[in-house]
Structure formats: structure tokens, C-alpha cells
Amino acid sequence: MTRARRLFRHERGSATVEMALVLPMMLLLIFGSVELGNYFLAEHVVDKGVRDAARYAARLPVTSFSCATGTMTDPTPIQKLARTGAPDGTVGRLRDWTSDGMTTVSVSCDTNTTHVYVNNGIYKDFPMGVPVVTVTASVPYTKLFATLGIRTASINLNATQQAAVIGV
């Protein structure tokens, strides 16, 4: 009985045991916070790239867009701008945004005559309607700690932005 009492009174290894119990939860919180921050940063970069590309496309000459076919003459500068930040750029914004093909550019025409701007202002000479460019990107997200063998579902960062073409 005295041996059992002495065993319960010893506190020499209690800090080690407590640390062993708490350490996995602390590491999960720390690495999870870093991963979440990196995800939000990557999502913001994709959103900003698509928004910049839509703004750039909206200021291209109106003759670059065709309402009849829903296309534009050359979407490559817009795709490059979304991916790199410059119409002729080569250095990407994100490590996984490797191809201009991950960005699509489409054109639609707003023919709703109830909108004031369709029949007035700079668009009054457009019988097919107001050209609206839509830039969409879908970029894969690679997790920071995927190299540690943590397997999760693949995630794509998706962003879409629209802008009415006003020309230069």
C-alpha cells in the first residue's frame, strides 16, 4: 500500500505527459492556421487577377468584340494579364496557375432596352447591344502540407468577373 501512495505522489513525469497530450492539438491548430491563411491568399490572388483582366478587357477597342458570335479577336492578352499581371507577362502570380488556358474569356451582349445605357450614351450606335466581357478562371490549389502525406480532396480556386466594354 505504501508503494502505491508513493507512486501517486511523484510528479516528475507529469509535464512530459501533459505535453504529449497537448502537442498534437497545438500542431494541428498552428499548421491549420497557416494552411488556411495560404488558401485565402491564393483565393485573393485569383480574384484580383480575374478582376484586373476584366477591367483591361473593358478598355479594349469595341471592335475587338463580336456580339454576333460571342467572341473576341484575341483573348490571349486578357488571359496572360489574369495569370501574370501583364498582357505580355511570363512570371505567374501563383505557382499552380501555369497555363493561360485556365482562364476563359467570353462575350455576351446586353440588349435589354429598359437599361438607360443601352439606347443612350456611348452605346447608342450598337444595334446588337452592349458588349459585356466575362473573365473566368479555375486554378488548382496545392496544399502547403501535401508533401507530408496528408491526403485531402483536390480544391479549385474559381473566380468570375464581368465588365461592360467601353473602349478607349
Side-chain angles (χ1 to χ4, degrees):
M1 200 63 148
T2 57
R3 272 190 184 187
R5 282 186 196 163
R6 269 190 280 152
L7 187 62
F8 285 120
R9 277 192 238 149
H10 287 288
E11 298 179 6
R12 285 176 50 190
S14 64
T16 305
V17 171
E18 289 172 4
M19 188 61 163
L21 292 173
V22 172
L23 186 65
M25 188 63 76
M26 280 180 32
L27 289 175
L28 183 67
L29 286 172
I30 291 169
F31 289 129
S33 297
V34 171
E35 184 70 54
L36 192 62
N38 187 58
Y39 172 79
F40 284 130
L41 174 66
E43 186 179 42
H44 172 72
V45 168
V46 172
D47 284 342
K48 183 178 181 339
V50 168
R51 185 173 48 244
D52 291 348
R55 266 196 224 130
Y56 173 78
R59 283 150 183 85
L60 290 174
V62 179
T63 55
S64 301
F65 302 92
S66 171
C67 281
T69 61
T71 60
M72 63 175 300
T73 52
D74 184 19
T76 306
I78 297 169
Q79 293 170 326
K80 282 190 181 304
L81 187 117
R83 187 176 64 83
T84 66
D88 57 352
T90 56
V91 179
R93 295 179 192 237
L94 280 177
R95 173 183 49 166
D96 298 323
W97 202 346
T98 56
S99 164
D100 293 338
M102 293 177 180
T103 307
T104 59
V105 180
S106 61
V107 179
S108 62
C109 293
D110 186 355
T111 57
N112 188 348
T113 56
T114 60
H115 293 156
V116 173
Y117 60 82
V118 172
N119 293 322
N120 299 316
I122 63 171
Y123 301 111
K124 66 183 176 187
D125 297 327
F126 292 91
M128 298 293 289
V130 177
V132 177
V133 65
T134 303
V135 180
T136 304
S138 182
V139 180
Y141 173 71
T142 302
K143 294 148 211 72
L144 285 176
F145 303 107
T147 56
L148 297 176
I150 302 170
R151 297 194 185 266
T152 56
S154 63
I155 299 172
N156 277 349
L157 303 168
N158 300 311
T160 300
Q161 185 71 37
Q162 285 187 329
V165 177
I166 58 173
V168 284

